[in-house]
Amino acid sequence: MPQAKALIVRGPSCSKNSRHKKKVEQDVGRTTSIGRWGTPLALAATISFVATPGPTQNVAVPGTPNFPVEDQPSLNFYGLPGLVDMPSAQPMPNGQLAVGISSFGGQTRTTLSFQFSPRISASFRYIGIQDWNDNGFGTYRDRSFDVRFLLSKETKRWPAITVGLQDFAGTGIYAGEYIVASKNFAQPLGLPGRMTVSAGLGWGRLGSSGSIGSISDRPSFDPGDTGGELSTDQWFRGDFAPFGGIEWQVNERFGLKLEYSSDAYEPETSRGVFERDSRINFGAEYQINRDVRLGAYYLYGSEFGVNAQIQFNPRYAPTPLTIAGPRPVIVRPSRESNPAAWSTGWADSQSAPATIRGAMAPELEEDGIRINALSVSAHTAELRIVNTRFGSDSIAIGRTARAMARVLPASVETFRITLVRSDLSVSTTTIQRRDLETLEYQPNAAGLLLARTGFDEASPDLPGAYVPDDLYPRFSWFVGPYLSPSYFDPDEPVRADAGIRASFKYNFAPGWEVSGEARQRIVGNVDDGRLSDSVLPRVRTNAVLYAQEGETTLENLYVSRVWKPADDVYARVTAGYLESMFGGVSTELLWKPVDSRLAIGAEANYVQQRDFDQLLGFQDYDVATGHLSAYYQFDGGYTGQVDVGRYLAGDVGATFTLSREFNNGWKVGGFFTLTDVSSEEFGEGSFDKGINLTIPISWFTGQPSTRSVSTTIRPVQRDGGARLSVPGRLYETVREGHRLNVSNDWSQVWE
Amino acid sequence: MMMRRALAGLGLALILSACAGGSDRETVSTQAELFNTIRGINTARRDLEARPPTPSRAQLDSRKAGLLEVSFEKRGLVAFLAPYSRRTDPLPGQIVVWRSTDGGQIVQRDGLLISTKGLGNDLASADIAGTQAALRQQHVHQSVNRTHYLRRDDNTQAALALNCTIQTAGHETLTIVERQFSTHHLRETCINGQGQAVNDYWIDNSDGTILKSRQWVGPELGYLSFRLLKK
């Protein structure tokens, strides 16, 4: 279910006038008005200095100082670091994502790989084998998961050693295990470039040709199996065989590969998919740019093959984030030089907060920051703000602090900035004005300021504060396109519906929201998919029926309220048509102290299944579903989540999620759910599992944004372990504004 | 079939014209933002102009505020920046924030670059105290350390430490818009494990001001060249 990371953003406009252009004009305007420092730039008013850096412009110039660059290995036909069809031992750079698309002999493999940590990588693969003509399939399609673990890194003397499990939880067509060593040699034998020599031992599929021994027995591949279960009883069992090869990277662009394969391709050759006449594979590869490498090969003495390797790292955006520079801090005059500026008499004035808000709001609004409440005294000021523009709240905090330093009377020394997200006050950052003034241009200014900054829980309300009376009601609407894909249908790998959607959001009081979305499908083929064969209540597998009957649909329509019962506790109640398949009531309570890595949540829902036409009616099936959740943030951006409870089909169990989150908002994770539904009842795949991807919009555009796109990829969607999709779950909203997340991004506070 | 195709066309038209509104600027769509931003980028690219004309001596003399010419070598851009803020802090030297009309900022301490903003992959801050002292005293063969705190793409910053040597490149007469200055040309050669960067400074013999320089920012931004057209 795609869901936005944050609900509040600055709206795009319908006009041709882009935001970028608007910003330019605003800044020109301000240059004139400030007057105090700047003078109008008559000479160069139309010159664009910043421009927008293009995709290639953030590539480092060779030969200039740089940070260490990690080696990027080439990929094999399985989309893993390797030779042609065989693996090698090199890991990808930490955090790397790779997509490999390869094809030979009527077999196409598409693999998504992620270097989860410096040593661990995981892959998800979707394959199609033409001319299978067996087991009821013309073209055999399957999904598989791999993991690889780097046992030892390459040193000057020793090779890198990696152990890998291939197709370790699927139906097992590619099931195989290996241990492989690889060593790099620069300028080998006086030749130019670099040579990588790899040698390993394979089991399963990788031990099926030229085996040199055997470790007990191994059951053979069964295409009719539901799959999905860990085949621990098979790993490193049966015949094992050596494999190996050489990769010669002749220069920066051009590479050659030669390998000896230990894969007999027994399931394929026995079904006549292709003929295997040789164990030798070879080919040539060309690196088009940092991200893309193409290769052409001759495999198994009979087939030509091609391989497209796409690698990128979420850490490196195609377009670097570009944010217009901030206004400088105004340094107060010294108390000796201007005692009058330091008087505190202003604080007695009833109108002081309104005046201060009036002076500060226009500056903050230009940065997409809204003031929700303001409290001032002679020496302290607290501002409650909503950040609608920046992906990092630290930028909003920094800009708010600067605005405070520009506007507040000199006697105010302590700035308290409270982040308000989805109408919840989530944390308070305390900055001393003196630190802003002295540190702004010092080396490592962000690190120095962080050491002097406090993070505290925010009280639910700010007693006695000035609250602008124009905050509510707020209304926004949107009309635009939607695209709703559906993956891995046995007949059609990707199906999709597309059309127009119209949505609105109405906030009529603090914490209250009414929201809804209607859709009109224009094109699509999801309704041509296969009908459900599920023996469980069909809580998710009726997607085809929903698509058949729903052309004009009400995607959701609900009212929700969020509030803070206590400093560290957050609550939500949502009622209405929550998602396309269920409506009802959802309640949630979350405990998350501001500096805690642990959060505990409880969610209880009572929902009824919606009619297939997705209008106002309901079907007979209803269920009480809910979970107790524990969330934990580890070091290095790793997060874990365990949800224990009752799922939509009434099954009871737990979901385990492990994710890696990058500071820029990218998130890659995997999950699996085990419930009291047996693998037979569950059907294909045996249990629910999948991959979550979240990509911040600003990663593509280089423009600041709080938005991101999320998607969940499941090898197969069944009815067991299915969770309700509730809009506005609390954890992400709250956590984003808490100490760990804000301080991780703190380097941007001066941006 | 015709109907389907027409509807598909309509859908495409809608994709290009996603629209939002309301009493505040909040909205409900990620797609619209993406489309609009991409459209904005293309517009911005088209707006890039060729090198703007350098102001004449008469224009400079009649101008009250300062003016800094900045050449961004890697992107082939030249801009004239006006001072936004001048101040001091507990560290030695005069800080000047220069800004362009479109949100770019250059921050210099005694003419040495200590920060850029709004360029992408910016220099967040820099420790240039060693270079600053060596240039002030015009010490040659001096070995100094400098550290660039650079913005990385994943919203972090990283410190790039450089070892530098300052050498004289001779005395030169520098012409800036019809006016001549006698300067001392100093060259700072910096290395780390990955490569080398060279900074050049032309220092006014009369008051020690850096009138012209070419300074390395970071791996992605490369070099910026400055000419102080008006102090």
Side-chain angles (χ1 to χ4, degrees):
Chain A
M1 284 288 138
Q3 50 186 221
K5 181 174 166 185
L7 290 168
I8 299 171
V9 300
R10 183 177 172 228
S13 70
C14 310
S15 73
K16 287 271 179 200
N17 207 358
S18 75
R19 169 146 30 118
H20 189 86
K21 289 275 287 181
K22 267 189 198 154
K23 186 76 205 160
V24 173
E25 285 150 17
Q26 281 164 358
D27 271 10
V28 173
R30 289 206 66 79
T31 317
T32 345
S33 66
I34 282 179
R36 196 180 333 189
W37 285 319
T39 47
L41 254 182
L43 284 168
T46 58
I47 309 306
S48 175
F49 174 50
V50 171
T52 302
T56 56
Q57 286 179 323
N58 60 340
V59 176
V61 178
T64 56
N66 204 344
F67 300 98
V69 180
E70 290 179 90
D71 279 343
Q72 179 172 304
S74 64
L75 308 179
N76 64 11
F77 270 56
Y78 286 95
L80 303 169
L83 297 153
V84 183
D85 210 22
M86 298 290 115
S88 68
Q90 281 106 350
M92 294 188 291
N94 191 9
Q96 193 95 336
L97 271 167
V99 178
I101 304 167
S102 68
S103 182
F104 84 96
Q107 306 159 79
T108 304
R109 301 172 190 157
T110 305
T111 309
L112 173 70
S113 297
F114 179 51
Q115 191 72 37
F116 184 74
S117 75
R119 287 182 186 270
I120 298 169
S121 74
S123 308
F124 172 66
R125 182 176 306 107
Y126 185 65
I127 61 154
I129 305 176
Q130 290 171 19
D131 307 321
W132 183 266
N133 301 326
D134 196 4
N135 321 105
F137 306 107
T139 295
Y140 180 82
R141 297 186 200 277
D142 203 356
R143 297 152 293 259
S144 53
F145 290 96
D146 295 1
V147 288
R148 281 162 60 93
F149 183 79
L150 177 69
L151 289 175
S152 67
K153 293 181 182 172
E154 183 173 347
T155 62
K156 274 196 174 149
R157 186 171 294 192
W158 297 101
I161 302 173
T162 287
V163 61
L165 300 175
Q166 193 166 288
D167 195 359
F168 67 93
T171 43
I173 183 170
Y174 284 153
E177 302 79 44
Y178 56 86
I179 179 161
V180 59
S182 295
K183 182 86 184 76
N184 286 305
F185 300 95
Q187 277 97 42
L189 317 167
L191 294 166
R194 186 176 73 174
M195 218 170 256
T196 311
V197 179
S198 299
L201 270 186
W203 283 258
R205 175 175 269 269
L206 295 173
S208 58
S209 173
S211 81
I212 53 169
S214 182
I215 303 172
S216 75
D217 289 334
R218 182 181 184 114
S220 63
F221 159 62
D222 171 13
D225 187 47
T226 55
E229 286 166 278
L230 296 183
S231 1
T232 44
D233 56 332
Q234 300 184 15
W235 294 347
F236 300 102
R237 302 286 166 79
D239 291 347
F240 55 89
F243 63 85
I246 296 174
E247 175 180 5
W248 179 23
Q249 188 63 40
V250 181
N251 55 37
E252 292 222 336
R253 299 259 178 215
F254 190 63
L256 296 169
K257 286 177 167 180
L258 173 68
E259 75 173 12
Y260 171 91
S261 166
S262 58
D263 188 340
Y265 276 85
E266 196 280 325
E268 293 83 357
T269 51
S270 67
R271 290 174 174 87
V273 173
F274 78 105
E275 277 190 32
R276 182 183 182 278
D277 299 330
S278 164
R279 287 173 179 154
I280 304 296
N281 302 326
F282 55 89
E285 296 181 348
Y286 187 77
Q287 190 85 37
I288 293 177
N289 56 36
R290 189 178 60 177
D291 303 336
V292 182
R293 189 178 175 96
L294 297 179
Y297 315 83
Y298 189 64
L299 294 98
Y300 300 104
S302 63
E303 297 289 343
F304 285 99
V306 289
N307 188 8
Q309 310 165 23
I310 300 148
Q311 287 192 53
F312 63 95
N313 202 304
R315 283 185 288 173
Y316 306 122
T319 313
L321 183 62
T322 307
I323 302 171
R327 294 182 187 79
V329 170
I330 296 180
V331 181
R332 292 169 288 179
S334 72
R335 199 187 287 267
E336 295 72 40
S337 71
N338 190 350
W342 287 74
S343 78
T344 56
W346 62 272
D348 300 329
S349 159
Q350 288 291 317
S351 63
T355 310
I356 288 167
R357 188 249 180 177
M360 219 155 13
E363 282 197 7
L364 289 174
E365 250 162 43
E366 269 183 40
D367 287 326
I369 297 165
R370 197 174 64 219
I371 299 173
N372 254 28
L374 166 70
S375 136
V376 282
S377 67
H379 304 293
T380 302
E382 177 164 347
L383 209 55
R384 302 210 147 186
I385 56 154
V386 178
N387 162 28
T388 66
R389 179 166 316 158
F390 302 108
S392 296
D393 282 326
S394 59
I395 302 178
I397 290 170
R399 298 218 165 186
T400 304
R402 286 164 181 272
M404 292 171 90
R406 292 168 66 85
V407 167
L408 288 169
S411 65
V412 181
E413 180 58 35
T414 303
F415 296 169
R416 290 166 58 79
I417 299 166
T418 298
L419 291 170
V420 178
R421 301 173 61 90
S422 299
D423 283 342
L424 296 165
S425 52
V426 292
S427 73
T428 300
T429 305
T430 306
I431 296 175
Q432 299 303 318
R433 188 172 189 170
R434 175 72 58 204
D435 294 331
L436 281 178
E437 292 170 341
T438 55
L439 298 178
E440 186 175 20
Y441 296 114
Q442 296 210 13
N444 192 21
L448 295 175
L449 185 62
L450 181 61
R452 291 163 169 78
T453 297
F455 297 96
D456 299 292
E457 66 273 8
S459 59
D461 295 298
L462 192 55
Y466 167 76
V467 178
D469 51 15
D470 52 1
L471 290 179
Y472 299 95
R474 296 197 309 273
F475 178 74
S476 61
W477 57 268
F478 168 76
V479 178
Y482 77 89
L483 178 73
S484 157
S486 148
Y487 304 108
F488 311 133
D489 179 281
D491 306 314
E492 190 85 56
V494 180
R495 291 178 183 276
D497 283 346
I500 313 166
R501 65 199 187 96
S503 54
F504 78 96
K505 199 168 81 159
Y506 181 61
N507 302 82
F508 56 89
W512 286 93
E513 175 179 316
V514 180
S515 185
E517 176 174 330
R519 291 186 173 190
Q520 171 65 48
R521 185 173 65 217
I522 296 175
V523 288
N525 57 1
V526 174
D527 56 355
D528 298 334
R530 292 191 181 185
L531 292 177
S532 174
D533 60 353
S534 181
V535 298
L536 296 169
R538 293 178 179 178
V539 294
R540 286 290 179 224
T541 54
N542 276 338
V544 171
L545 293 176
Y546 278 97
Q548 281 173 359
E549 292 200 23
E551 189 162 345
T552 307
T553 62
L554 183 67
E555 178 72 11
N556 57 53
L557 179 65
Y558 58 86
V559 57
S560 71
R561 188 187 168 217
V562 292
W563 73 100
K564 281 180 77 168
D567 283 2
D568 294 334
V569 182
Y570 303 80
R572 172 184 61 80
V573 175
T574 311
Y577 298 91
L578 301 172
E579 50 143 299
S580 56
M581 296 185 191
F582 288 90
V585 181
S586 169
T587 60
E588 185 183 2
L589 208 57
L590 177 75
W591 171 83
K592 170 77 175 76
V594 70
D595 53 358
S596 167
R597 290 170 178 273
L598 176 71
I600 306 283
E603 185 180 296
N605 317 297
Y606 172 75
V607 291
Q608 191 156 0
Q609 192 159 23
R610 293 179 62 187
D611 273 344
F612 294 133
D613 62 13
Q614 295 154 80
L615 296 175
L616 300 178
F618 286 95
Q619 304 182 35
D620 289 339
Y621 183 77
D622 64 339
V623 62
T625 170
H627 289 82
L628 276 177
S629 303
Y631 312 83
Y632 195 83
Q633 294 179 274
F634 300 92
D635 278 331
Y638 297 98
T639 60
Q641 179 178 344
V642 179
D643 309 283
V644 183
R646 187 159 186 249
Y647 292 80
L648 278 176
D651 47 336
V652 174
T655 302
F656 302 85
T657 309
L658 189 60
S659 305
R660 178 169 181 187
E661 194 176 28
F662 296 82
N663 266 338
N664 57 18
W666 259 86
K667 198 170 173 182
V668 182
F671 65 89
F672 64 92
T673 300
L674 300 174
T675 69
D676 56 359
V677 166
S678 70
S679 48
E680 287 73 29
E681 287 172 302
F682 184 91
E684 189 186 350
S686 296
F687 61 93
D688 191 55
K689 57 196 164 297
I691 300 163
N692 295 319
L693 275 179
T694 300
I695 309 170
I697 297 261
S698 60
W699 192 81
F700 296 106
T701 63
Q703 301 294 304
S705 166
T706 58
R707 286 196 162 271
S708 56
V709 285
S710 294
T711 188
T712 297
I713 302 170
R714 285 183 164 84
V716 59
Q717 174 73 66
R718 303 293 294 177
D719 295 317
R723 278 192 83 177
L724 185 68
S725 171
V726 186
R729 284 199 167 110
L730 292 169
Y731 178 65
E732 291 298 328
T733 299
V734 169
R735 176 182 77 115
E736 286 280 333
H738 274 191
R739 181 188 196 139
L740 198 60
N741 287 56
V742 173
S743 59
N744 278 347
D745 282 352
W746 193 255
S747 64
Q748 308 217 80
V749 72
W750 293 106
E751 292 303 318
Chain B
M1 199 60 203
M2 273 297 285
M3 188 63 188
R4 275 211 153 179
R5 222 170 263 168
L7 283 170
L10 179 71
L12 192 70
L14 270 162
I15 283 173
L16 299 172
S17 62
C19 212
S23 64
D24 71 333
R25 287 178 177 163
E26 295 175 16
T27 184
V28 255
S29 167
T30 304
Q31 287 152 327
E33 179 162 326
L34 196 55
F35 291 130
N36 280 310
T37 318
I38 289 166
R39 207 161 53 193
I41 288 169
N42 289 332
T43 324
R45 287 218 179 108
R46 275 200 300 277
D47 289 346
L48 282 184
E49 288 179 26
R51 192 194 153 90
T54 305
S56 68
R57 176 46 59 189
Q59 280 174 314
L60 288 177
D61 286 344
S62 66
R63 186 181 164 83
K64 289 200 179 71
L67 195 65
L68 182 72
E69 181 193 77
V70 184
S71 307
F72 194 163
E73 295 183 7
K74 206 170 163 190
R75 295 185 196 161
L77 296 170
V78 176
F80 298 100
L81 275 57
Y84 195 0
S85 166
R86 289 180 197 272
R87 58 170 288 194
T88 55
D89 69 1
L91 300 181
Q94 169 86 18
I95 300 157
V96 184
V97 181
W98 304 87
R99 66 163 165 173
S100 70
T101 50
D102 56 356
Q105 289 184 7
I106 297 290
V107 188
Q108 295 181 328
R109 186 187 288 274
D110 279 355
L112 292 168
L113 184 70
I114 54 169
S115 181
T116 67
K117 298 197 191 292
L119 306 187
N121 302 115
D122 284 298
L123 178 66
S125 58
D127 183 355
I128 44 83
T131 308
Q132 190 186 4
L135 292 188
R136 181 172 285 178
Q137 290 144 24
Q138 309 213 353
H139 276 164
V140 294
H141 304 300
Q142 176 107 351
S143 180
V144 298
N145 292 319
R146 59 156 70 212
T147 307
H148 290 210
Y149 295 87
L150 291 154
R151 283 264 323 272
R152 310 302 288 158
D153 280 341
D154 61 347
N155 293 2
T156 57
Q157 76 174 25
L160 192 66
L162 301 170
N163 296 312
C164 309
T165 313
I166 292 169
Q167 284 169 313
T168 180
H171 289 268
E172 294 175 18
T173 302
L174 189 70
T175 307
I176 295 179
V177 195
E178 301 161 32
R179 185 162 293 173
Q180 296 194 324
F181 299 88
S182 94
T183 64
H184 187 190
H185 179 184
L186 291 170
R187 174 165 289 174
E188 179 186 27
T189 306
C190 299
I191 52 162
N192 88 336
Q194 307 280 320
Q196 173 180 302
V198 179
N199 298 325
D200 286 288
Y201 310 97
W202 285 263
I203 297 169
D204 190 337
N205 284 337
S206 66
D207 63 359
T209 308
I210 298 176
L211 289 174
K212 179 181 164 181
S213 62
R214 180 172 181 264
Q215 302 185 37
W216 187 77
V217 190
E220 288 87 11
L221 290 181
Y223 287 94
L224 291 178
S225 292
F226 305 105
R227 285 205 306 166
L228 190 59
L229 301 186
K230 178 101 183 177
K231 282 178 196 169

